[in-house]
Amino acid sequence: MCSGCLETIGRVARPRRTRSRRLAVAVGALAVSLVATLADTRELRICADPNNMPFSNAARQGFENKIAELVARELGATVSYTWWAQRRGFVRNTLKAGLCDLVPGTPANLEMLRTTAPYYRSSYVFVTRKDVPEITSFNDPRLRDLHIGVQLIGDDGANSPPVQALGRRGIVGHLIGFPVYGDYSAPNPPARIIEAVANGDIDMAVVWGPLAGYFASRQKVALRITPVSPRVDGPQLPMIYDISMGVRRGDDTLRSEVNAALTRHRAEIDAILAAYQVPRLDPVGAP
């Protein structure tokens, strides 16, 4: 090949190598920037039940899912979930095992967790059809003649507070138990007790308020929801609970951040709870 041709090729080739080097440097810088950005993306790891509406499900349709998303946005984080049925050992197998960092919907001051300030208060409620007389108290003598649906808690069917209150009064002959968590092969197992009232299979039910409000509003017949009385039955049997979020003991930084987010987004949280028909015993909009 002629020397002139080689010189021409050399002149053309050198700029191309320079552009290639510049392109490689730019791509490398972009990759480093992207990796750094991904590394800086915060993740809020939530422990939740995948089939426990209206609280949570795997499709993220529950009100606790919505509130967790609010908290995550305030923290500049994305939400990820560890799904586990909320039965015996839930906290041990999720939060305490280090698989996740935040448990929504826990009773305030639960000993096994470090809880945030409460973001709502609710109670157990009586659920009846609206075409029958209202029941307002565990002391109502009519309860002795009614078929009453009650919630059984956990794998061993432990007694819920209303079952204990009825038992203290000797009202046990017509109680019909419905597991809180039920058969996970079907969606929304907690709905069965409300459906039984709507269908007339039982005369009334005593149900945790948020669950009752959500499923009662979805029945074809009109149902009545009445907070139970007394609200505290005896010295150590409350029927009302303040609901918080829980973190691991010692995780004070995350607890403080979540508290701040719950306070800042109080109005939005109230709107979410209202949309899901959660019965409230705290003043809506209270700090």
Side-chain angles (χ1 to χ4, degrees):
M1 188 178 294
C2 68
S3 58
C5 295
L6 289 173
E7 184 178 2
T8 301
I9 292 172
R11 288 174 180 173
V12 173
R14 287 190 192 99
R16 287 178 180 172
R17 286 199 299 271
T18 300
R19 286 197 296 270
S20 297
R21 291 194 189 100
R22 289 174 179 170
L23 179 60
V25 170
V27 170
L30 179 61
V32 170
S33 175
L34 180 60
V35 170
T37 300
L38 292 174
D40 289 341
T41 299
R42 185 173 182 181
E43 187 177 48
L44 184 62
R45 303 187 305 164
I46 306 294
C47 322
D49 191 310
N51 189 21
N52 191 30
M53 288 294 285
F55 308 99
S56 64
N57 68 5
R60 306 189 183 192
Q61 297 170 323
F63 70 79
E64 297 291 6
N65 297 122
K66 307 303 182 186
I67 295 172
E69 291 167 7
L70 278 179
V71 172
R73 286 199 295 271
E74 178 68 20
L75 271 55
T78 59
V79 176
S80 67
Y81 281 93
T82 293
W83 300 113
W84 200 281
Q86 283 196 356
R87 302 182 179 184
R88 188 182 299 277
F90 172 78
V91 173
R92 182 182 68 250
N93 289 303
T94 57
L95 188 76
K96 289 191 174 182
L99 300 179
C100 43
D101 305 308
L102 185 66
V103 183
T106 64
N109 301 316
L110 190 65
E111 289 185 0
M112 66 181 68
L113 303 171
R114 182 83 163 97
T115 56
T116 66
Y119 51 101
Y120 76 95
R121 174 184 293 175
S122 193
S123 77
Y124 282 95
V125 297
F126 295 119
V127 182
T128 57
R129 294 170 64 111
K130 281 194 174 180
D131 57 4
V132 302
E134 185 176 16
I135 299 289
T136 62
S137 172
F138 287 117
N139 296 320
D140 192 316
R142 292 174 293 173
L143 292 176
R144 297 184 180 278
D145 299 319
L146 299 180
H147 289 85
I148 304 171
V150 293
Q151 293 180 292
L152 304 178
I153 301 172
D155 298 334
D156 54 0
N159 288 338
S160 61
V163 175
Q164 297 178 55
L166 292 166
R168 282 160 52 93
R169 292 160 175 81
I171 305 172
V172 296
H174 299 296
L175 300 186
I176 301 170
F178 291 79
V180 170
Y181 304 114
D183 180 6
Y184 264 60
S185 65
N188 305 327
R192 306 298 173 258
I193 189 170
I194 304 299
E195 292 167 353
V197 177
N199 295 336
D201 299 328
I202 55 179
D203 299 310
M204 65 170 291
V206 194
V207 184
W208 175 235
L211 189 156
Y214 179 78
F215 288 114
S217 68
R218 283 156 174 76
Q219 303 307 308
K220 294 180 180 179
V221 301
L223 300 180
R224 177 190 296 114
I225 293 176
T226 307
V228 301
S229 175
R231 292 183 177 180
V232 179
D233 191 46
Q236 295 182 331
L237 193 59
M239 301 292 160
I240 59 174
Y241 292 90
D242 289 320
I243 302 301
S244 306
M245 294 190 179
V247 302
R248 276 182 293 276
R249 287 196 167 275
D251 198 350
D252 293 333
T253 299
L254 179 58
R255 177 178 180 270
S256 296
E257 290 178 313
V258 174
N259 268 334
L262 294 174
T263 299
R264 183 183 296 272
H265 295 280
R266 165 57 60 188
E268 295 155 277
I269 292 171
D270 287 341
I272 291 170
L273 295 171
Y276 283 77
Q277 307 294 322
V278 175
R280 303 279 296 272
L281 294 184
D282 54 320
V284 175

